[in-house]
Amino acid sequence: MEGDAAGGWPEPVVRVQSLSESGAATIPARYVKPEPERPKAELSGGGRRSNDDEYDDEEEEEKAIPVVDLSPAAGGDPAATARAVSAACREWGFFQAVNHGVPGDLLRRARAAWRGFFAQPMEVKQRYGNSPATYEGYGSRLGVEKGAVLDWGDYFFLHVRPPHLRSPDKWPHMPPDLRETTEEYSRAVASLCGRLLAAMSAGLGVAETRLQEAFGGEDQAGVCVRVNYYPRCPQPELTLGLSSHSDPGGMTVLLADDRVRGLQVRRRGAWVTVHPVLTNATYRSVEHRVMVNADEDRLSVALFYNPKSDLPLAPMPELVSPPERPPLYKPMTFDEYRLYIRRKGPKGKSQVDSLKAAADGS
């Protein structure tokens, strides 16, 4: 189904779910990625690659993805947990968390509520259509570049806090439990983010409260949710559900699909497929992308825990020691950075690197 080009989008908006449900055997040219960006060919449903040696190498990498036990009972040593989190963040920028304290029933309800939304008739979903001004609501593209190659996925983006950024009219009423469940899920995961920031701070050798303070404090940190829906794709080898990118926020916690894998993270120049244990969080912003599937749709829920939007951000003085370790980035607010990222859409690490280059040229 197509909308119009109003609201800031450069072209009519096409819902990927509608393309998937049309029964077409091929995808439109707008979704075909340049050959170097395409995922490696896999058997339908995520089977083994034809090159067994290459697959075995990747399989070893998959086994090496850090899994961190956040339970207080895990050895009873908070310092050991902080060391594990720090090592994962430094070496991967990504880890999977277990025993994190977010109830399993809440995770199931969050998935079910949002699957229920994407199962609604298109005219219901269209009421929440978004614009690039805030991206809040039901969307099908990122960036406003006319003629850009698009991703095979729809999404729903919501601001949770601070309250002045929320648009109540963008919070769906269907299914009936979606609003309450999303609020409950956001509170629980935001609390987890506070615990992770404390562990990350300890791993940096600064006070446990340091990163939370740098975010503006627990009451001032921003929280937003993006629910990603990747419909079945007749040619998954030609496209991506979400192009290579690094998240612009301070930390991302992802509730992955519990049935179908698709998330990949870049490690030493290679793409490694993640077999979900439960959630992930970022220390530095790891580059990642999402594959799609010919037989199954996928749904994931990403919660972004961000610094206060108008707070000037810069490397912590404790971690800078010119000339040996000069600051790599110029100070800017999160609002300024987010706007910078949104103009272009997902572009690997190039946008972050361009800010580093600007700082070097100062």
Side-chain angles (χ1 to χ4, degrees), residues 36 40 61 265-272 284 287 289:
K40 295 177 181 177
E61 285 287 302
V265 296
R266 188 182 285 277
R267 167 74 165 169
R268 297 171 181 166
W271 288 105
V272 182
R284 57 184 174 80
E287 188 176 354
R289 68 181 187 181

Side-chain angles (χ1 to χ4, degrees), residues 25-101:
T26 59
I27 63 174
R30 291 291 307 278
Y31 298 88
V32 177
K33 301 294 181 184
E35 191 163 350
E37 299 177 16
R38 297 175 192 173
K40 295 177 181 177
E42 289 189 295
L43 299 176
S44 175
R48 292 179 65 91
R49 290 180 172 82
S50 57
N51 186 330
D52 286 345
D53 290 339
E54 183 176 343
Y55 182 90
D56 290 341
D57 290 342
E58 180 178 305
E59 193 173 56
E60 289 303 311
E61 285 287 302
E62 291 167 0
K63 291 177 183 177
I65 291 177
V67 177
V68 178
D69 191 339
L70 298 177
S71 170
D77 183 2
T81 300
R83 288 194 295 271
V85 169
S86 179
C89 292
R90 292 174 188 272
E91 295 171 17
W92 282 79
F94 175 94
F95 64 88
Q96 298 196 81
V98 296
N99 296 323
H100 45 67

Side-chain angles (χ1 to χ4, degrees), residues 4 6 39 47 89 121 145 148 150 203 236 239 244 264 290 294 322-323 337 345 356 359:
D4 57 31
C89 292
E145 182 181 347
L150 302 178
T239 190
S244 168
Q264 291 186 319
V290 177
Y337 179 60
K356 184 185 294 186

Side-chain angles (χ1 to χ4, degrees), residues 11 95 100 108 110 116 222 277 285 353 355:
E11 301 149 318
F95 64 88
H100 45 67
R108 289 187 289 271
V277 174
S285 190
D353 291 341
L355 292 175

Side-chain angles (χ1 to χ4, degrees), residues 1 9 15 20 23 27 82 113 131 146 212 323 327 344:
M1 179 175 181
W9 297 116
R15 303 304 181 188
S20 175
I27 63 174
S131 80
K146 190 171 184 178
Q212 186 69 269
K344 296 290 186 179

Side-chain angles (χ1 to χ4, degrees), residues 192-233:
L192 169 62
C193 288
R195 293 169 52 204
L196 290 173
L197 282 181
M200 292 175 183
S201 295
L204 289 171
V206 298
E208 287 191 357
T209 58
R210 185 65 177 91
L211 281 175
Q212 186 69 269
E213 291 168 355
F215 274 48
E218 184 177 354
D219 295 336
Q220 297 296 316
V223 176
C224 47
V225 169
R226 176 179 154 129
V227 184
N228 305 294
Y229 181 72
Y230 307 109
R232 286 174 289 188
C233 179

Side-chain angles (χ1 to χ4, degrees), residues 107 110-115 118 153-157 185 224-231 241-242 245 247 252-264 276 278-280 288-291 297-304:
L107 304 183
R111 287 192 186 103
W114 281 103
R115 281 199 170 274
F118 284 102
D154 298 327
Y155 64 88
F156 207 105
F157 180 78
Y185 176 80
C224 47
V225 169
R226 176 179 154 129
V227 184
N228 305 294
Y229 181 72
Y230 307 109
L242 187 56
H245 67 287
D247 293 333
T252 303
V253 178
L254 180 72
L255 175 61
D257 194 293
D258 57 344
R259 307 168 304 122
V260 184
R261 65 178 183 170
L263 176 66
Q264 291 186 319
L278 206 49
T279 61
N280 77 74
H288 54 286
R289 68 181 187 181
V290 177
M291 300 183 296
D297 61 357
R298 289 185 66 250
L299 182 139
S300 65
V301 183
L303 182 138
F304 305 104

Side-chain angles (χ1 to χ4, degrees), residues 160-161 180 182-192 303:
V160 178
R161 71 181 197 206
E180 180 181 353
T182 302
E183 289 271 18
E184 184 182 355
Y185 176 80
S186 299
R187 286 194 300 270
V189 178
S191 177
L192 169 62
L303 182 138

